[in-house]
Amino acid sequence: MASPPAANLLYAALLLPPALVYLAVKRRRTSRLPPGPMGLPLVGSLPFIDRNLHVYFAGLAAKHGPILSIRLGSKVEFVVTSAELAREVLRDKDLAFANRVMPDAGSAVSFGGEKNIVGSPVGPKWRLLRRVCVHDMLGPAGLESVRGLRGREFRSTLRYLHSRSGEPVDVGAQMFLNTMNVITSTMWGGTIGSSQGERAAVGGEFRGLVAEITELLGSPNVSDFFPALAPFDVQGIRRKMEGFKVRFDLLFDKIIQKRVEADGGGEAVVTDMLETMLKLEREGGDGKTSFTMNNVKALLLDMVVGGTETTSNTVEWAMAEMMHNPQVLKRAQEELDTVVGRDAVVEESDLSELHYLRMVIKETLRLHPPLPLMVPHSPSADSTVGGYHVPEGTRVFVNVWAIQRNPLVWNEPLEFNPERFAEGDNVDGRKWDFMGNQFDYFPFGSGRRICAGIAMADKMTLYSVAMLLQAFHWKLPQGTQLDLSEKFGIVMKKATPLVAIPTPRLSKPELYY
């Protein structure tokens, strides 16, 4: 028989878990938190989460409702899964929820969370960074000024794919390299080297870094779930990210130094994004807030990491869905033959006439939004959503992936059907665009924090798919099957890369060169 002290310890051990659950239930009720899974003491729902977090959260929403709270470690997170509540967070209370809680890995690699556009809180610094991105660099004039650089890289990809005719090609990997080369060329022109080989080498180095960074950003991190343990960096994620930042720092220093030497120390004509930023850095900012070399590097990193996988993955998804739906692929190619023909190569100037292909891209972004849970928002002070209390600093996930598959809005929501975006065939006559005004469809977000690179992403995605379809026929390697399953991460990826065989469909071989 156990001694009295031992018995007391045994009783305490038996009573502690129910007591903790009781306290958690009481706290949820008294603090007006929304419903959600109770989880376990200390760790909450961490042991139960699925790696496909967007699907897991959608399943919880079906059980607990369109707004739920879930405890992951010592943190309580909110998940919103309805258009109405998304509007409340992103539009009605946009200013209150416009800030971000940077994950530990993101802070470690970003040259300081307040120096980049993703992590900077809303204020003078963020407004300056936003202006530089949206108006100075990625606005119509900025994009038009580097159109020739984009054309150069697309021609290079066209030549490479033609050289691989009849051979299996990893479509996503090739589109990643194409997007990377376009973005880096757009940002700093031809200063990294005059030869294709040198550009390819630098692009390859960036690709490796970005792949490793996005993988770490998507990995569960003890430092985020238990901030008290962050100084110990239990999984070594911060150490790895700081190492990547050092490598990016060296690459950016080399690129910037080449630009300064090319300028000869004088005032250069603004021809790309890097020169725009260096001019602002030389001037010390806009008179309201400073703009430092770390801001230059942080924005370069934002563009490289944020613009590559999101765009290349969307292109890969579009190609996979069309190969799975041959009638869609056939109609898209027929449109290209009508607009461009087979005696010329599709150009950016043709994109405005490709109405059906634009519907294909819209449908791809509906089913496979680049960031299925977006970048979480966080209130700068205690607030409410759907009548529930949202404490200051809480991460609020908006499950755009689930919202865009709502069967009450979209007929046969799991089917790939570009025609649903045909003019005059929209639900309730609404206009489905990328501007975040319709909260049943907002693949690039909404409000102040809407994606800064929408114009660039739209142009790059449409141009990429148009080139692949107009210049080549595509088929799967013999004995393989198309896999449309998803792999969750910071960006929406295919679980199995799309490998397909291109064969030329243009009238003359010289069109590829």
Side-chain angles (χ1 to χ4, degrees):
M1 183 175 180
S3 63
N8 289 339
L9 289 174
L10 178 61
Y11 294 149
L14 291 173
L15 291 174
L16 182 58
L20 289 173
V21 170
Y22 169 77
L23 291 173
V25 172
K26 183 177 180 181
R27 179 178 180 273
R28 188 185 297 271
R29 289 174 177 170
T30 57
S31 62
R32 295 183 291 118
L33 294 178
M38 293 311 308
L40 299 175
L42 302 179
V43 296
S45 295
L46 275 178
F48 310 116
I49 60 174
D50 191 286
R51 287 198 66 87
N52 282 329
L53 201 57
H54 58 304
V55 179
Y56 174 69
F57 281 163
L60 290 180
K63 179 179 180 181
H64 297 287
I67 181 170
L68 61 93
S69 60
I70 181 170
R71 188 163 59 86
L72 300 175
S74 64
K75 308 290 288 185
V76 175
E77 322 278 18
F78 278 39
V79 183
V80 164
T81 317
S82 77
E84 294 76 17
L85 293 176
R87 175 185 292 275
E88 185 175 352
V89 172
L90 303 176
R91 178 62 57 84
D92 300 341
K93 298 179 180 177
D94 179 20
L95 182 58
F97 283 89
N99 287 336
R100 301 271 171 74
V101 177
M102 286 288 284
D104 191 65
S107 297
V109 77
S110 63
F111 297 94
E114 296 189 6
K115 295 181 176 65
N116 68 354
I117 195 171
V118 176
S120 182
V122 171
K125 174 70 75 175
W126 175 80
R127 283 189 284 273
L128 173 60
L129 298 176
R130 179 87 184 180
R131 191 204 79 196
V132 170
C133 287
V134 176
H135 298 292
D136 298 346
M137 300 195 304
L138 298 179
L143 290 176
E144 181 61 29
S145 69
V146 290
R147 177 195 285 235
L149 297 175
R150 289 194 298 276
R152 180 189 73 186
E153 298 302 339
F154 271 86
R155 279 287 184 171
S156 175
T157 298
L158 189 68
R159 288 193 297 272
Y160 173 78
L161 290 174
H162 187 262
S163 72
R164 294 288 305 275
S165 295
E167 302 176 18
V169 171
D170 186 328
V171 175
Q174 186 55 42
M175 286 299 100
F176 183 102
L177 190 56
N178 179 68
T179 305
M180 173 69 73
N181 286 338
V182 169
I183 288 176
T184 54
S185 292
T186 300
M187 286 190 297
W188 53 73
T191 58
I192 61 172
S194 58
S195 71
Q196 178 67 23
E198 189 172 354
R199 288 199 302 274
V202 175
E205 184 173 1
F206 271 100
R207 181 188 176 200
L209 286 173
V210 170
E212 292 181 89
I213 286 173
T214 54
E215 182 176 350
L216 286 177
L217 285 172
S219 300
N221 189 352
V222 170
S223 296
D224 294 326
F225 302 130
F226 299 96
L229 298 178
F232 302 101
D233 190 23
V234 176
Q235 296 160 269
I237 290 178
R238 170 170 281 273
R239 174 179 52 80
K240 293 177 183 177
M241 283 297 209
E242 288 174 343
F244 293 145
K245 184 180 76 171
V246 170
R247 292 171 66 184
F248 268 115
D249 200 18
L250 293 173
L251 280 168
F252 290 151
D253 279 339
K254 179 181 177 181
I255 291 164
I256 291 168
Q257 183 60 34
K258 283 192 173 186
R259 169 54 57 83
V260 171
E261 291 172 356
D263 292 347
E267 290 294 321
V269 177
V270 176
T271 57
D272 55 34
M273 297 179 181
L274 177 58
E275 189 57 45
T276 298
M277 290 190 286
L278 290 178
K279 182 175 183 293
L280 187 60
E281 187 270 337
R282 288 193 296 267
E283 295 170 350
D286 63 353
K288 298 178 182 178
T289 185
S290 63
F291 190 84
T292 67
M293 190 58 72
N294 271 346
N295 290 131
V296 174
K297 294 176 181 178
L299 282 180
L300 289 176
L301 185 62
D302 278 346
M303 298 294 180
V304 170
V305 175
T308 48
E309 284 203 321
T310 52
T311 299
S312 60
N313 285 341
T314 300
V315 173
E316 185 179 17
W317 276 116
M319 292 296 294
E321 288 285 5
M322 283 188 289
M323 293 183 71
H324 186 65
N325 297 271
Q327 75 283 1
V328 174
L329 191 151
K330 180 182 178 182
R331 182 173 171 183
Q333 287 185 320
E334 288 174 347
E335 179 182 60
L336 281 158
D337 289 345
T338 300
V339 173
V340 184
R342 299 198 194 185
D343 296 324
V345 177
V346 65
E347 303 286 353
E348 274 194 24
S349 56
D350 300 313
L351 300 184
S352 61
E353 300 300 317
L354 301 176
H355 305 297
Y356 184 74
L357 191 58
R358 182 167 293 281
M359 294 192 309
V360 169
I361 301 303
K362 285 185 176 181
E363 177 70 343
T364 302
L365 290 167
R366 183 190 69 82
L367 276 175
H368 311 288
L371 279 69
L373 297 176
M374 304 198 335
V375 178
H377 288 241
S378 178
S380 53
D382 286 6
S383 188
T384 60
V385 173
Y388 292 104
H389 176 64
V390 185
E392 176 185 353
T394 302
R395 288 198 303 178
V396 179
F397 295 91
V398 178
N399 195 341
V400 64
W401 176 88
I403 292 172
Q404 293 183 169
R405 294 175 175 227
N406 183 356
L408 299 178
V409 175
W410 306 98
N411 183 39
E412 297 183 322
L414 302 186
E415 296 298 317
F416 187 79
N417 177 22
E419 283 79 3
R420 72 174 82 245
F421 288 100
E423 186 176 354
D425 194 32
N426 293 331
V427 179
D428 299 331
R430 285 177 281 186
K431 180 181 179 181
W432 305 104
D433 56 28
F434 301 145
M435 304 316 296
N437 296 315
Q438 301 292 344
F439 288 89
D440 293 308
Y441 183 77
F442 53 110
F444 293 102
S446 182
R448 284 173 174 81
R449 292 288 189 167
I450 193 170
C451 174
I454 293 177
M456 178 73 161
D458 182 31
K459 192 181 297 291
M460 282 291 300
T461 304
L462 191 60
Y463 195 3
S464 297
V465 177
M467 178 189 70
L468 294 177
L469 292 183
Q470 193 243 352
F472 301 98
H473 295 290
W474 294 88
K475 66 178 182 179
L476 296 175
Q478 188 173 1
T480 64
Q481 292 184 335
L482 193 61
D483 179 13
L484 292 176
S485 57
E486 301 167 340
K487 178 182 178 182
F488 178 81
I490 293 300
V491 294
M492 176 74 76
K493 296 184 179 182
K494 286 184 81 280
T496 304
L498 174 62
V499 175
I501 299 173
T503 55
R505 70 186 297 271
L506 297 181
S507 62
K508 295 175 287 188
E510 52 265 32
L511 291 171
Y512 294 89
Y513 295 92

